[in-house]
Amino acid sequence: KVVCVTGASGFIASWLVKLLLQRGYVVKATVRDPNNPKKTEHLLSLEGAKERLHLFKADLLEEGSFDLVVDGCEGVFHTASPVLFSSISDPQAELIDPAVKGTLNVLKSCVKFPTIKRVVLTSSMAAVVLNGRPLTSNVVVDETWFSDPLVCEELKEWYFLSKTLAEEAAWKFAKENGIDLVAINPSYVIGPLLQPTLNFSVEMVLDLKKDIDGVTSANYTSTDVRDVASAHIQAFEVPSASGRYCLVANVTPIHEALKILKELHPTLCPTEICEQDIPSAPQYQISQEKAKSLGLDFLPLEVSLRDTIECLKEKGFLEA
Ligand code: NDP
């Protein structure tokens, strides 16, 4: 079976490509710069890559750019989208256009090829939770929640806005054009990196302690990258999969996560912060019911953080 993965050099997509190759798929994968070894070497060295991985150059903002890569595929996994939270000077150009126009470009290419049975979109909990409803202890967030673009804009949460508008646009286009679309909505994704560079959500683990000052009541919501990649594959392979899937393994008060990190690497949480008696955040929940119906289970936070830290040490981002 032939499938396509957009944004293949990214953190989540690299794991997705690895698991797809392991399952025997032929993978047509897009990268922005096929000549940059930092973006391709880790993919080309995956087991099965020599025989079954084909790289294509494609740009989210270029119309028709995905025609060649989706041609002949049964499934398309659209993961490419900018992940940026700081130093944003032009949210429209840096985040919203590539997210929304990019998603529509990919879907427009999919419409041209009837071999495509299903498109799996990497959306985010950013497109779920920000709708002005308070996250108090009796709340269970589920797939019926949709972030409100007006709330995202008011709060200047541009990444949240980009993912919300992209998912909205995808549902509208899929409905109008008869595309079988499934969306996966993970929270902060952690776990071992395959690529040589840091991505946003793994880098955040190195500095989680900074969140304890301002946002002492906040929760840390996380999912392991291996579970996120598997969820994408299940969303394609399970015939009854439909709609969107919240994918959150843990909702944990940040100071609890910091205590685990301190055990793993003392520098990640200085004693004076970790030993403060911080009141627990209201522990809202995120429903796992629908994700579990896909046959998914989640790695525990302790395992994901342990493997993240091990990898960060191996790759030299953290002192061994
Ligand atoms: P990465 O930053 O590792 O990967 C992002 C990918 O998108 C890269 O391959 C990047 O290409 C590509 N990309 C970005 N902008 C463009 C563009 N203008 N044109 C073409 N390609 C582009 O991020 P993640 O793996 O963490 O994220 C992947 C997806 O998962 C995104 O859709 C993100 O919104 C979503 N997600 C991520 C979460 C997380 O915590 N990490 C949580 C929930 C959802 P290049 O390598 O060339 O820069």
Side-chain angles (χ1 to χ4, degrees), residues 18 58 87 168 253 260 281:
K18 180 183 164 90
S87 318
E168 265 183 15
I260 302 173

Coordinates of all heavy atoms in Angstrom, one line a residue, residues 18 58 87 168 253 260 281:
K18 N 8.6 6.2 10.2 CA 9.3 5.0 10.8 C 8.3 3.8 11.0 O 8.5 2.7 10.5 CB 10.0 5.3 12.1 CG 10.7 4.2 12.8 CD 11.3 4.7 14.1 CE 11.7 3.5 15.0 NZ 13.1 3.1 14.8
A58 N 8.1 19.7 -1.5 CA 6.8 20.4 -1.6 C 6.7 21.5 -0.6 O 7.3 21.5 0.4 CB 5.6 19.4 -1.4
S87 N 8.4 35.1 19.2 CA 9.1 35.9 18.2 C 8.3 35.8 16.9 O 8.8 35.6 15.8 CB 10.5 35.4 17.9 OG 11.2 35.1 19.0
E168 N -10.9 23.8 10.8 CA -12.3 24.2 10.3 C -12.3 24.2 8.8 O -13.3 23.6 8.2 CB -12.5 25.7 10.8 CG -13.3 25.8 12.1 CD -13.6 27.3 12.4 OE1 -13.4 28.2 11.5 OE2 -13.9 27.5 13.5
P253 N -0.6 18.4 37.0 CA -0.1 19.7 37.5 C 1.3 19.9 37.2 O 2.1 18.9 37.3 CB -0.4 19.7 39.0 CG -1.5 18.7 39.2 CD -1.3 17.7 38.1
I260 N 8.9 14.7 38.7 CA 9.4 13.5 37.9 C 10.7 13.9 37.2 O 11.7 13.1 37.2 CB 8.4 13.0 36.9 CG1 7.0 12.7 37.5 CG2 8.9 11.9 36.0 CD1 5.9 12.4 36.6
A281 N -3.4 22.3 40.7 CA -4.3 23.0 39.8 C -5.6 22.2 39.7 O -5.6 21.0 40.0 CB -3.6 22.9 38.4

